[in-house]
């Protein structure tokens, strides 16, 4: 075995969660980060709107309000101990980022600037509160750059453009991972005491998505193959405002700044679906409203889209109707120049990709697959827990979008993901280093690369009767149409049959590129295998949950059913089949209440 490396802690993924974990782990243990992308190309870099913390830089705000909003936003499926922990830690986490050098926008007094976002409220008045700390509309980019610089400063070891294919287990304990070096095609074994998964999301299984090409659920599929369950996979968030057909995200911050949604007949329809919070209702509520408008024939020009209007004259008109004021009580207004300063990237995207100028024209938008609430089950210290009793798997950790703590429950509030990354990334890093300090290395399996090689060889030697691109396209359409914003038993049963058929066809794929250097055909095919596994688990979990809650909306079971379904789903893949069990939701202070829109 030529390429064997030994690190006490190995972090898989170099997004916000991975870098934060690496930073903290590296202070107590010899740490390496493995990333299939160059770190600053990770999806965290595309996050626009902001990171939440009850800093109260403009008006009163408290971690308790942030906690309650998150519990409510989660449709009561979030674990309240973990939510409380995250919201309490939020203030310190954001100030830590500031001290690391993150260039936040500023208030006139020089404090960190904050903007309103969906679901962020003053719990006493019910009015929106400015809780999203931001650096223009490139907050994630700034977080990623800042954390990467800190990791370099702390001499974290980076293996950039290495893609992990397998997780190694010895006697039920973590032993390491196997990765392929993209530039050479060589396999490398990383022998580790602790491994932290921070591999991000899997929105690429859907046809229209805001997610980057790398979001193929690798971490989830790799662990699923090693007998680790996935939690609450039926809960996938569709963001209401993706650019029509392209799916590219238009941040909720646009509506935070006063943008409104307008249907094909010129109505501001959110007043009907969420009379109090209107355009800033939770994402699941707004996505369903848009779908309903389109289905009832009120899309623009009879097509599958509606308009997002942030033209200053419209913002000012609707702000006056809503009675929105500035902090000094004067009427809220915005000019084209202010809009350009607050949302430079969004305005650029629309000009470049759509030929539409948001300062003078409305943007065509449709809901886009955005964020996975479900993932690898963990506790609030980032330890992966593998059953209904929350038993930790020795040496295995997860953080970020690939993990399910669960702080987002059935629906994530905007800006809570960036917060999740830094808070739980930090704790996963700390715990992994602590574990590594007292644990020994497990013995490596006698042929550690066998599992990875087997998977790759299957793709090289398939019969070639099937084409990976066609399978990929079919999967995306099935998942978007039948396991998307609205779901029914009939649609999902058909989807499941089709996903199984695609999995069968996938066995006959043959990769034609026999080269070793940057063999993207081979790795895309391997990623397709992961997406098919994840799609199956999502569909089975969604079919199983006979209620509607947060992002999971069943037309045949339209009500939330706390009596039978206030519980987390755990799904394993055993003998080729998905097996489902449950675990209780942790409720501390807040008993479930009906949702008020
Ligand atoms: C367009 C967009 C805008 C968003 N805006 C916001 C926002 O304003 N506020 C907010 O709170 N949230 C936002 N989100 C959500 C949030 O940005 C993401 O959930 C979060 O950044 C994910 O971070 P992460 O560290 O978990 O994963 P990522 O940043 O995606 O990093 C994943 C890492 O895993 C690595 N990886 C994956 N598979 C492998 C493998 N097999 N081998 C090796 N490495 C691997 C990748 O190379 C990458 O480095 C947004 C999301 C999108 C898509």
């Amino acid at each position: 075995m030529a390429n064997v490396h030994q690190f006490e802690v190995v972090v898989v993924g170099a997004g916000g969660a991975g870098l934060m974990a690496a930073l903290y782990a590296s202070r107590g243990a010899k740490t390496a980060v493995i990333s299939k992308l160059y770190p600053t190309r990770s999806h965290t870099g595309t996050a626009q709107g902001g990171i939440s913390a009850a800093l109260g830089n403009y008006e009163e705000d408290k971690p308790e309000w942030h906690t309650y909003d998150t519990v409510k936003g989660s449709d009561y499926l979030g674990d309240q101990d973990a939510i409380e922990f995250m919201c309490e830690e939020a203030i310190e986490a954001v100030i830590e980022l500031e001290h690391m050098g993150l260039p936040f926008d500023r208030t006139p007094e020089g404090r960190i600037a904050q903007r309103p976002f969906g679901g962020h409220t003053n719990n006493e008045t019910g009015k929106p509160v400015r809780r999203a700390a931001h650096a223009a509309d490139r907050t994630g980019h700034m977080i990623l750059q800042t954390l990467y610089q800190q990791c370099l400063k702390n001499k974290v070891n980076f293996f950039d453009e290495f893609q992990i294919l397998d997780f190694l287990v010895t006697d039920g304990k973590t032993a390491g991972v196997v990765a392929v070096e993209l530039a050479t095609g060589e396999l490398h074994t990383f022998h580790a005491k602790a491994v932290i998964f921070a591999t991000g999301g899997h929105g690429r299984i859907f046809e229209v998505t805001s997610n980057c090409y790398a979001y193929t659920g690798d971490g989830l599929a790799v662990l699923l193959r090693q007998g680790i369950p996935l939690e609450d996979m039926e809960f996938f968030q569709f963001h209401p405002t993706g650019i029509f057909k392209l799916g590219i995200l238009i941040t909720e911050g646009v509506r935070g700044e006063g943008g409104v949604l307008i249907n094909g007949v010129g109505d501001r329809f959110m007043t009907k679906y969420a009379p109090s919070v209107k355009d800033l209702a939770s994402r699941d509520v707004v996505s369903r409203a848009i779908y309903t408008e389109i289905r009832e024939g009120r899309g623009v020009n009879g097509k599958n889209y509606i308009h997002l209007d942030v033209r200053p004259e419209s913002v000012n008109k609707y702000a006056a109707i809503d009675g929105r004021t500035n902090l000094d009580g004067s009427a809220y207004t915005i000019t084209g120049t202010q809009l350009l300063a607050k949302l430079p990237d969004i305005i650029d995207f629309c000009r470049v990709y759509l030929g539409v100028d948001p300062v003078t024209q409305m943007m065509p938008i449709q809901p886009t697959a955005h964020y996975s609430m479900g993932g690898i089950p963990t506790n609030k210290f980032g330890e992966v827990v593998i059953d209904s009793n929350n038993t930790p798997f020795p040496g295995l950790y997860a953080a970020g979008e690939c993990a399910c703590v669960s702080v987002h429950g059935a629906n994530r509030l905007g800006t809570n993901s960036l917060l999740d990354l830094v808070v739980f990334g930090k704790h996963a890093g700390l715990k992994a280093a602590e574990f590594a300090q007292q644990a020994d290395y497990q013995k490596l399996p006698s042929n550690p690369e066998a599992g990875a090689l087997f998977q790759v060889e299957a793709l090289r030697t398939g019969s070639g009767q099937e084409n990976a691109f066609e399978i990929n396209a079919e999967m995306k359409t099935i998942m978007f149409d039948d396991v998307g914003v609205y779901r029914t038993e009939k649609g999902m049963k058909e989807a499941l049959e089709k996903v199984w058929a695609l999995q069968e066809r996938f066995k006959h794929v043959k990769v034609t590129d026999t080269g070793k250097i940057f063999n993207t055909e081979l790795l895309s095919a391997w990623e397709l295998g992961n997406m098919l596994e994840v799609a199956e688990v999502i569909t089975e979990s969604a079919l199983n949950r006979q209620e509607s809650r947060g992002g999971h909306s069943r037309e045949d079971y339209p009500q939330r059913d706390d009596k039978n379904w206030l519980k987390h789903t755990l799904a394993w893949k055993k003998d080729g089949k998905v097996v489902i069990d449950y675990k209780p939701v942790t409720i501390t202070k807040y008993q479930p209440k009906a949702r008020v829109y």
Side-chain angles (χ1 to χ4, degrees):
M1 284 190 298
N3 304 313
V4 180
H5 313 263
Q6 200 177 58
F7 290 94
E8 287 177 302
V9 177
V10 163
V11 182
V12 186
L19 294 179
M20 195 71 178
L23 191 57
Y24 272 88
S26 66
R27 293 178 183 160
K30 192 179 164 209
T31 301
V33 177
I34 304 175
S35 177
K36 69 176 175 180
L37 300 174
Y38 185 76
T40 50
R41 291 179 59 95
S42 303
H43 192 66
T44 297
T46 65
Q48 304 167 352
I51 174 167
S52 54
L55 300 168
N57 282 353
Y58 288 100
E59 59 213 328
E60 190 186 7
D61 198 7
K62 305 177 187 175
E64 293 94 292
W65 294 351
H66 188 184
T67 303
Y68 178 59
D69 286 344
T70 305
V71 170
K72 202 167 74 161
S74 82
D75 226 351
Y76 293 89
L77 195 74
D79 287 322
Q80 295 181 12
D81 56 338
I83 295 176
E84 209 169 325
F85 180 73
M86 177 178 81
C87 298
E88 290 285 345
E89 294 237 333
I91 296 175
E92 198 186 302
V94 168
I95 291 174
E96 184 183 8
L97 289 173
E98 182 191 32
H99 290 180
M100 285 178 187
L102 198 148
F104 283 110
D105 283 13
R106 297 282 158 185
T107 69
E109 300 76 36
R111 293 169 188 270
I112 294 172
Q114 296 184 275
R115 57 163 60 114
F117 243 75
H120 298 182
T121 63
N122 173 320
N123 289 180
E124 279 155 22
T125 63
K127 292 234 163 75
V129 73
R130 296 162 181 78
R131 190 178 288 150
H134 59 94
D137 53 1
R138 5 183 132 93
T139 315
H141 172 86
M142 296 304 183
I143 290 182
L144 201 57
Q145 299 287 336
T146 305
L147 290 177
Y148 185 48
Q149 286 161 9
Q150 292 292 323
C151 283
L152 292 180
K153 185 173 136 204
N154 279 276
K155 305 218 169 352
V156 172
N157 301 280
F158 279 93
F159 291 85
D160 298 337
E161 300 188 328
F162 277 62
Q163 183 159 4
I164 71 133
L165 302 178
D166 202 8
F167 172 60
L168 300 173
V169 178
T170 303
D171 297 335
K173 295 186 179 128
T174 299
V177 289
V178 176
V180 55
E181 181 179 4
L182 304 187
T184 62
E186 303 251 320
L187 290 180
H188 291 246
T189 298
F190 290 83
H191 191 195
K193 293 179 180 177
V195 174
I196 304 175
F197 275 73
T199 48
H202 47 263
R204 281 279 147 191
I205 62 172
F206 295 102
E207 188 181 354
V208 178
T209 178
S210 66
N211 288 183
C212 63
Y213 284 95
Y215 262 21
T216 51
D218 299 2
L220 273 57
V222 162
L223 290 182
L224 203 57
R225 288 182 197 120
Q226 293 293 356
I228 307 287
L230 299 179
E231 180 175 347
D232 290 342
M233 291 296 286
E234 60 272 39
F235 296 101
F236 200 94
Q237 178 168 82
F238 287 77
H239 193 292
T241 57
I243 292 181
F244 179 48
K245 282 192 181 157
L246 301 176
I248 296 172
L249 192 79
I250 305 284
T251 172
E252 196 171 306
V254 170
R255 283 170 287 138
E257 301 296 350
V260 290
L261 298 164
I262 305 287
N263 65 16
V265 294
D267 286 339
R268 183 199 185 187
F269 55 89
M270 279 314 296
T271 48
K272 190 165 70 188
Y273 297 92
S276 66
V277 279
K278 305 183 188 88
D279 300 87
L280 281 177
S282 286
R283 292 178 176 174
D284 56 335
V285 176
V286 184
S287 288
R288 284 196 289 274
I290 295 174
Y291 246 74
T292 307
E293 290 298 303
I294 291 171
R295 278 211 304 212
E296 292 178 359
R298 292 186 293 279
V300 176
N301 298 329
K303 297 222 174 83
N304 290 347
Y305 71 89
I306 54 114
H307 277 137
L308 174 59
D309 188 357
V310 76
R311 295 172 300 175
E313 66 270 24
S314 305
V315 170
N316 298 344
K317 176 177 124 191
Y318 290 107
I321 293 173
D322 293 348
R324 182 168 174 181
T325 55
N326 296 312
L327 286 172
D328 61 6
S330 59
Y332 176 87
T333 57
I334 201 162
T335 63
T337 316
Q338 286 167 332
L339 206 59
L340 270 170
K342 289 188 169 183
L343 301 164
D345 275 7
I346 291 299
I347 291 174
D348 235 33
F349 289 159
C350 289
R351 287 175 178 167
V352 171
Y353 294 114
L354 284 174
V356 164
D357 183 351
V359 182
T360 55
Q361 291 167 289
M362 296 195 279
M363 299 168 249
I365 58 105
Q366 74 178 131
T368 182
H370 185 55
Y371 181 85
S372 173
M373 272 74 73
I376 306 158
T378 72
N379 59 25
K380 65 184 181 190
F381 303 114
E383 293 169 319
V384 173
V385 289
I386 52 167
D387 56 25
S388 310
N389 300 321
N390 286 321
T391 310
F393 186 99
L396 182 58
Y397 302 81
E401 187 168 340
C402 72
C404 178
V405 185
S406 148
V407 282
H408 310 301
N411 172 56
R412 172 174 74 83
L413 288 190
T415 72
N416 264 353
S417 170
L418 291 178
L419 178 62
D420 167 357
L421 308 182
V422 289
V423 170
F424 296 109
K426 167 180 165 179
H427 286 283
L430 284 171
K431 271 282 168 204
E434 190 186 304
F435 175 86
Q437 281 160 11
Q438 50 81 33
D440 291 329
Y441 283 99
Q442 296 301 314
K443 213 167 153 275
L444 279 176
S446 55
N447 185 0
E449 290 166 6
L453 258 181
F454 177 79
Q455 295 181 59
V456 172
E457 278 315 298
L459 291 168
R460 287 196 201 275
T461 54
S463 67
Q465 284 160 2
E466 295 290 344
N467 177 311
F469 294 98
E470 283 168 17
I471 297 177
N472 198 342
E474 286 180 41
M475 170 193 67
K476 286 174 164 39
T477 315
I478 294 164
M479 293 303 289
F480 197 68
D481 290 350
D482 288 324
V483 199
V485 171
Y486 279 117
R487 299 163 171 184
T488 62
E489 177 165 323
K490 183 170 174 290
M492 285 191 290
K493 278 196 165 150
E494 282 169 18
L496 192 56
E497 294 286 341
K498 289 180 192 162
V499 169
W500 284 334
L502 292 179
Q503 287 176 337
E504 271 312 301
R505 284 170 55 191
F506 179 70
K507 292 181 184 156
H508 301 285
V509 162
K510 180 180 171 132
V511 171
T512 51
D513 183 349
T514 53
K516 292 198 110 193
I517 301 168
F518 284 106
N519 190 335
T520 48
E521 187 191 351
L522 178 66
L523 290 164
S524 309
W526 180 75
E527 290 172 342
L528 173 60
N530 298 338
M531 290 194 281
L532 288 169
E533 296 269 359
V534 172
E536 181 191 9
V537 175
I538 292 180
T539 311
E540 288 264 27
S541 305
L543 192 53
N544 185 60
R545 185 176 282 270
Q546 295 179 338
E547 65 156 354
S548 290
R549 183 186 297 269
H552 173 64
S553 189
R554 295 271 312 240
E555 291 189 280
D556 41 359
Y557 297 94
Q559 303 303 325
R560 195 177 87 194
D561 174 2
D562 288 338
K563 195 160 152 272
N564 295 305
W565 290 103
L566 185 59
K567 55 188 178 187
H568 297 292
T569 303
L570 290 177
W572 288 259
K573 192 87 191 268
K574 286 184 182 158
D575 302 325
K577 288 211 172 63
V578 173
V579 176
I580 288 181
D581 197 1
Y582 306 96
K583 70 176 180 182
V585 174
T586 306
I587 292 177
T588 55
K589 286 193 201 147
Y590 308 104
Q591 287 305 317
K593 283 198 217 149
R595 273 180 115 185
V596 182
Y597 302 116

